């Protein structure tokens, strides 16, 4: 049946036709630069299952292979695959080191309903540490499939083995693009792999390699491998009609029973200037499981990507200074100067720039651009910066990857906190405009946004600006003179705002204590009026006896009345007799146009 077309990252499209249920062979990893690859591995079949009578004794649980790289070939990555008939064993040993599968694959045959499996583990650190030498995979258990009742023996599809893809680098290597595809697909019928977005500049040593399972040398019905319509062969190891025949191209072995580690040269199947290639695998009868495909092409292309390092904003401004880095990583050619850069806010173009140097392989270039966010863009928006974009979504540079060119981040413009306007705080004048105040409630009243933070009250704008010397007693604050301005600082995540309010005093009605006891005991020795002196500085006070005769007058320059008469009849400069007296207090204040009058009692 025809499976869905999958558009792969890096512009690779894989289209599969397969009579089993499995995992599509898809791009796993890509290397661009001075890289190459090789295979090692071994079967655990003691003979070809297609001709061996019975199957109980034809499999072992371990086998070995040797890695022998040159001294100038440096291991980049090592990927281990193991496979077999059955539902799978995903815990094995590699040189006595326990390995657990990091990814697993399965394939169930429609015709038999039997399951087959493959497993993957990244063993790079172990292989780099060990280096060249013999590697033994052990403890692979597929014993449940080795009995006749399992069905695998009857249809001769019992197999087991392991393989390792080694990616290595070296200064003497040409610039190559290495692609690794993996999954678990089955032939017969066909698998077609279409490689696009290529830029072949040299066909020398172009290669394709396979890790395949369950191929039989004695079954060769329409079993072909072709590139760009031409069938490949590597006789006598791999005849044109028997591609999957239990062989190892690296060692030359023809006894790699029921598995294939084959590498073909395809330099005669591609041409300089090719931008695509088609790989097709067929098998008319032999059930073959394709686990991994590796291609190597000499292709020189840049691969631009970009990240934003920082966004520098100013409070209250819609201008942003964008600091970014352009990368040319995992590539095989320099990124040319003049490669355009576009910046978008919620999809609207807000800035453009371009690279100013040829960025070499694995090189970088830093840049910055001051942009202004239009008023129509909300304060919270998505900023997207795209390399190789001329401002209308189109690029001018052919790249290895065409869909890793942008970087997006969420941006919130920085604005100073808003605040509520505060009323003047009023209290009674305690003399010469002195007042006592409680303005602590303004710490919450001032906030217009509950997410903002009140920082403090300050006596000067300089202290508020520097957030220093905050007032520590807003519940009982003394202002010796008024009006006095008090400053407030509030903050949000990035910005602060300053506001202020006034402290003001008012002349409150005085409190008159209408009892005088002239006995020098310190209590009521004089006619005391609280809130009078230094508040109503123009006051005039008159005292009359019970018959309406004026006996005393005073003002802000006179002492309090102490019971002595200074007006009218005086007797030997002595104090007045005990009794009731009458006062008239004129404050001479616009707020109190009428005099205060009343009786007071004097006692000696």
């Amino acid at each position: 049946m025809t499976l869905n077309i999958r558009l792969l990252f890096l512009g690779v499209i894989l289209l599969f036709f397969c009579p089993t249920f499995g995992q599509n062979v898809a791009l796993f990893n890509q290397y661009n630069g001075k890289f190459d690859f090789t295979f090692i591995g071994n079967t655990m079949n003691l003979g070809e299952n297609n001709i061996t009578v019975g199957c109980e004794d034809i499999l072992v649980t371990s086998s070995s292979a040797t890695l022998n790289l040159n001294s100038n070939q440096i291991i980049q990555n090592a990927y281990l695959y193991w496979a077999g008939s059955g539902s799978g064993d995903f815990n094995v040993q590699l040189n006595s080191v326990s390995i657990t599968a990091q990814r697993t694959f399965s394939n169930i045959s429609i015709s038999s309903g039997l399951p087959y499996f493959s497993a993957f583990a990244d063993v790079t650190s172990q292989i780099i540490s060990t280096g060249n030498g013999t590697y033994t995979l052990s403890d692979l258990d597929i014993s449940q499939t080795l009995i006749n009742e399992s069905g695998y023996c009857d249809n001769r599809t019992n197999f087991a083995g392991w393989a390792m893809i080694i990616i290595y680098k070296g200064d003497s290597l040409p610039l190559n693009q290495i692609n690794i595809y993996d999954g678990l697909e089955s032939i017969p019928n066909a698998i077609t792999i279409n490689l696009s977005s290529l830029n072949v500049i040299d066909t020398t040593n172009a290669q394709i390699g396979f890790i395949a399972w369950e191929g039989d040398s004695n079954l060769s019905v329409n079993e072909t491998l072709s590139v760009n319509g031409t069938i490949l062969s590597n006789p006598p190891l791999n005849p044109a009609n028997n591609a999957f025949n239990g062989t190892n191209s690296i060692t030359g072995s023809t006894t790699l029973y029921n598995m294939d580690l084959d590498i073909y040269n395809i330099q005669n199947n591609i041409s300089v200037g090719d931008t695509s290639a088609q790989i097709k695998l067929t098998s008319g009868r032999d059930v073959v499981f394709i686990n991994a495909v590796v291609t190597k092409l000499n292709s020189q292309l840049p691969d631009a990507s970009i990240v934003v390092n920082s966004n520098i904003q100013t409070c209250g401004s819609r201008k942003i200074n964008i600091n970014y880095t352009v990368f040319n990583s995992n590539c095989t050619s320099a990124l040319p100067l003049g490669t355009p850069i576009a910046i978008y806010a919620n999809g609207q173009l807000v800035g453009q720039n371009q690279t100013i140097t040829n960025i070499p392989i694995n090189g970088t270039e830093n840049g910055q651009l001051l942009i202004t966010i239009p008023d129509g863009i909300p304060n919270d928006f998505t900023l997207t910066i795209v390399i190789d974009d001329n401002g209308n979504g189109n690029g001018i540079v052919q790249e290895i990857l065409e869909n890793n060119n942008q970087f997006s981040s969420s941006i919130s413009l920085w604005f100073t906190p808003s605040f509520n306007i505060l009323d003047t705080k009023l209290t009674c004048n305690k003399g010469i405009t002195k007042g006592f105040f409680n303005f602590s409630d303004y710490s919450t009243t001032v906030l217009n946004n509950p997410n903002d933070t009140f920082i403090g009250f300050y006596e000067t704008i300089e202290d508020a600006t520097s957030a220093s010397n905050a007032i520590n007693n807003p519940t009982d604050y003394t202002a010796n003179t008024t009006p006095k301005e008090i400053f407030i600082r509030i903050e949000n995540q990035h910005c602060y705002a300053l506001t202020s309010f006034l402290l003001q005093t008012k002349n409150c009605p005085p409190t008159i204590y209408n009892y005088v006891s002239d006995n020098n005991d310190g209590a009521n020795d004089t006619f005391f009026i609280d809130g009078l002196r230094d508040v109503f500085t123009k006051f005039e006070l008159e005292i009359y006896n019970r018959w309406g005769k004026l006996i005393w007058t005073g003002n802000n320059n006179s002492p309090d009345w102490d019971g002595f008469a200074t007006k009218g009849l005086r007797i030997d400069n002595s104090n007045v007799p005990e009794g009731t007296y009458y006062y008239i207090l004129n404050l001479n204040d616009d707020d109190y146009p009428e005099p205060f009058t009343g009786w007071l009692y004097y006692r000696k």
Side-chain angles (χ1 to χ4, degrees), residues 181-226:
Y181 311 86
D182 64 12
L184 194 60
E185 290 292 333
S186 177
I187 315 171
N189 287 352
I191 295 176
T192 299
I193 304 173
N194 293 310
L195 304 180
S196 61
S197 295
L198 301 179
N199 182 29
V200 179
I201 65 164
D202 187 351
T203 63
T204 303
N205 204 29
Q207 292 180 324
I208 187 169
F210 297 88
I211 299 175
W213 309 105
E214 218 290 295
D216 299 298
S217 63
N218 286 282
L219 285 177
S220 57
V221 179
N222 192 31
E223 193 169 288
T224 65
L225 166 64
S226 63

Side-chain angles (χ1 to χ4, degrees), residues 428-435 437 479-483 504-505 507 534-535:
C428 291
N429 183 358
K430 296 301 180 181
I432 320 178
T433 71
K434 179 179 180 179
F437 296 88
N480 291 317
T481 58
T482 57
Q504 183 65 279
T505 57
N507 293 340
D534 296 331
V535 176

